[in-house]
Amino acid sequence: MFPDSQIAKEFTCGEKKCAYLVCFGLAPHFKQMLIDSMKEEENYIIMFDESLNAVTNSKQMDIHVRAWNRCSNQVKSRYYTSVFMGHGTADDMLTHFHEGMQGLHLQKIFQVSMDGPNVNWKFYRTLCDEIKKDFACQTFNIGSCGLHILHGGFKDGASASGWQIEKLFSSLHWLFHDTPARREDFTKVTGSSVFPLQFCKHRWLENLPVAERVQSMWENILKYVEQATAKKIPCPQTTSFETVKQSTKDPLIEAKVAAFLSISKKYTHFW
């Protein structure tokens, strides 16, 4: 790791001692750095999720903090800590949440991001009542998860356009997915072995690379459709191909993909 240091070259450390240094030396140091940086922030978002830890055989609540980073001029999410619990009632969650929040200030919580079970909502209402009572302020409620709100909002906006661009992205992926013969035909016609990426129907803002790939290979897609339609290569008799074929006839399709990309890039740095 440090070839320029003679001291580091001669350093040796056993597995357990190395783990000890990481857990009780480096981890507290970086956590304290995060706490110090959060003291400078007016507000931040707290995110948590619970899952079963098979090793400890207990529920693990992972807590993350999201805030605006002035240096990079971006919103950044950082892992903060994990707490472990047996019972998972709303009161139990609140107790362990306070345990995990040591070092951070409740009154600075702008929003709590979580998944949507009823027990989480009861926990959230209790937490909000507590913050309102102790600090005369309240959190901003935009739903259980800010990420889902962004993804859903972007999806609704794209659907409202009526362009059905998601059908094109999805059809392009499935047209060549697990079909070596079509991939060979595409490569033969275009000289390219770059293929479309899979479209995610649940996290729409994660489809930025999908749109970029389609934009970069659109000329090759036109060549493939032209050759297949002219029967110079086998023409796929599938719904996916028909969708792609109809899209190639749209004179504004490239502009629509560019618009999808432009709007997506504006929101990508928020998640």
Side-chain angles (χ1 to χ4, degrees), residues 198-216:
Q198 184 173 3
F199 181 82
C200 180
K201 296 182 180 180
H202 306 292
R203 299 185 177 186
W204 275 57
L205 288 173
E206 292 186 4
N207 291 309
L208 176 61
V210 179
E212 289 177 332
R213 176 65 62 85
V214 172
Q215 187 181 57
S216 67

Side-chain angles (χ1 to χ4, degrees), residues 171-187 195-196 224 236 238 240:
S171 295
L172 278 169
H173 168 72
W174 291 111
L175 179 61
F176 298 103
H177 181 68
D178 291 339
T179 52
R182 290 180 200 160
R183 285 175 171 257
E184 181 179 331
D185 291 340
F186 182 86
T187 302
F195 295 94
Y224 174 80
T238 63
S240 296

Side-chain angles (χ1 to χ4, degrees), residues 66 68 75-77 147 150 205 266-271:
R66 173 181 291 143
W68 186 266
V75 174
K76 287 198 172 184
S77 302
L147 286 180
L150 281 174
L205 288 173
K266 289 181 181 296
Y267 289 97
T268 299
H269 65 280
F270 284 106
W271 60 274

